[in-house]
Amino acid sequence: MLATILATGDTMQNVGIKELKNQASAIVGADEAVIIEKYRRPMDMYVPLDGSQGSDKGRVYQLAGSSA
């Protein structure tokens, strides 16, 4: 999904830490990538996993570049 966003130039929603805390379920449920900001500076990014690739823990670590 991230590669698709970068390749197509789609914009992502920016959310602050407080907004993320208060609306986490809605943000995660929207199934869209978001940039997480702290004091209006990008700090992190949430990118939902594609359900068709499987959602087991090993796959998550593989996508993150770590080892399980």
Side-chain angles (χ1 to χ4, degrees), residues 1-56:
M1 179 176 206
L2 180 58
T4 303
I5 292 167
L6 295 175
T8 61
D10 290 344
T11 59
M12 287 187 265
Q13 176 185 3
N14 293 17
V15 296
I17 295 287
K18 187 174 183 178
E19 182 181 356
L20 177 64
K21 177 185 168 192
N22 293 334
Q23 300 178 14
S25 294
I27 291 168
V28 171
D31 200 31
E32 295 179 10
V34 295
I35 296 174
I36 301 166
E37 298 180 335
K38 184 175 181 180
Y39 303 115
R40 296 188 176 206
R41 300 176 90 182
M43 300 303 285
D44 212 336
M45 185 179 347
Y46 165 74
V47 180
L49 297 175
D50 182 7
S52 65
Q53 295 178 358
S55 60
D56 64 339

